[in-house]
Amino acid sequence: MITLYDAPRCPYCARVRIVLAEKGVEYETVEIDLAARPDWIYEKNPLGKVPILEEGAFVLPESEVIMEYLEERYPEPALLPADPVERALVRLVIHRFDTNLGDSYYAFRRGDEHGAERLAHCLSFFERNIGRWPDRYGLAEIAYVPWLIRLRDLLGFDLSAYPALLDRLERLCERPAVAAEAGVVAALAT
Ligand SMILES: N[C@@H](CCC(=O)N[C@@H](CS)C(=O)NCC(=O)O)C(=O)O
């Protein structure tokens, strides 16, 4: 049985929850209070962060790595394209994500001086480019959709200035695995 050390608020954990749901993998959850993390979490991940996936003696942190592991361990349904070039491009999007939209989201949420500006800059870039990315669902979409859901439903951020992004988000939320994640966020917002 897989155990996921998890936090409902965490968008990185959301990535893993969505992949597990898409693959129909059963798992159990140990919820970690991020404000009072237990000391033992550092034995599983020296950085003390979630998500962490555990399967017997095998312990794996880092959402990017966990998603790839799950993709290889449970190949169906495939969430990476078959073509090596396309796979590499998906990995590039995921790899770059944290240093653009991810970071600016947190800067905005913390109320940093230029947080709103940085976020708007990233969302505009996203808006201009999203039409050029393949309209195929997979790990790239799963990697970024948790932040879009949280912007819209937790931080009350108005995405109407980014119609292509909003349209993509709404279409992604039609998938049961993503809709379930939107439900997790809705419960946090109440
Ligand atoms: N690079 C990590 C980031 C995970 C992460 O930052 N998780 C946050 C919760 S959203 C956390 O555990 N924060 C606790 C901390 O920073 O000490 C991943 O992709 O899994």
Side-chain angles (χ1 to χ4, degrees):
M1 175 62 97
I2 287 183
T3 301
L4 177 65
Y5 296 87
D6 192 29
R9 187 170 291 273
C10 171
Y12 297 99
C13 292
R15 290 173 162 180
V16 178
R17 292 193 291 266
I18 295 172
V19 173
L20 287 165
E22 290 291 355
K23 307 249 178 214
V25 176
E26 276 189 46
Y27 66 103
E28 58 185 24
T29 296
V30 175
E31 193 171 320
I32 300 299
D33 177 356
L34 292 172
R37 271 167 294 170
D39 288 345
W40 51 258
I41 201 83
Y42 291 90
E43 285 160 30
K44 300 190 184 291
N45 178 4
L47 300 182
K49 297 186 182 198
V50 290
I52 304 167
L53 186 123
E54 188 174 68
E55 233 182 329
F58 175 54
V59 181
L60 192 65
E62 292 297 336
S63 60
E64 222 179 300
V65 182
I66 297 172
M67 288 197 298
E68 292 260 359
Y69 167 71
L70 291 172
E71 176 65 6
E72 291 186 351
R73 176 94 159 74
Y74 305 96
E76 297 297 331
L79 295 172
L80 274 175
D83 177 63
V85 169
E86 287 182 32
R87 289 167 87 88
L89 292 174
V90 167
R91 290 182 170 122
L92 180 63
V93 169
I94 299 172
H95 186 71
R96 290 235 172 109
F97 177 85
D98 280 2
T99 47
N100 45 67
L101 186 56
D103 279 359
S104 59
Y105 168 92
Y106 289 111
F108 173 75
R109 203 183 69 175
R110 283 191 306 264
D112 288 4
E113 196 186 342
H114 298 294
E117 233 172 278
R118 282 182 59 194
L119 181 60
H121 178 76
C122 285
L123 290 172
S124 302
F125 176 85
F126 215 171
E127 173 74 13
R128 284 195 306 278
N129 287 285
I130 202 161
R132 293 176 19 211
W133 296 351
D135 197 6
R136 186 193 343 84
Y137 177 75
L139 291 189
E141 288 69 32
I142 294 171
Y144 69 69
V145 76
W147 277 264
L148 296 185
I149 295 173
R150 282 160 178 74
L151 269 176
R152 186 188 61 181
D153 301 344
L154 206 53
L155 305 190
F157 190 90
D158 181 11
L159 285 169
S160 59
Y162 311 96
L165 211 50
L166 194 53
D167 175 62
R168 181 69 69 99
L169 173 60
E170 282 166 0
R171 279 187 295 126
L172 288 171
C173 282
E174 286 167 11
R175 297 190 68 88
V178 180
E181 187 50 39
V184 170
V185 174
L188 290 170
T190 54

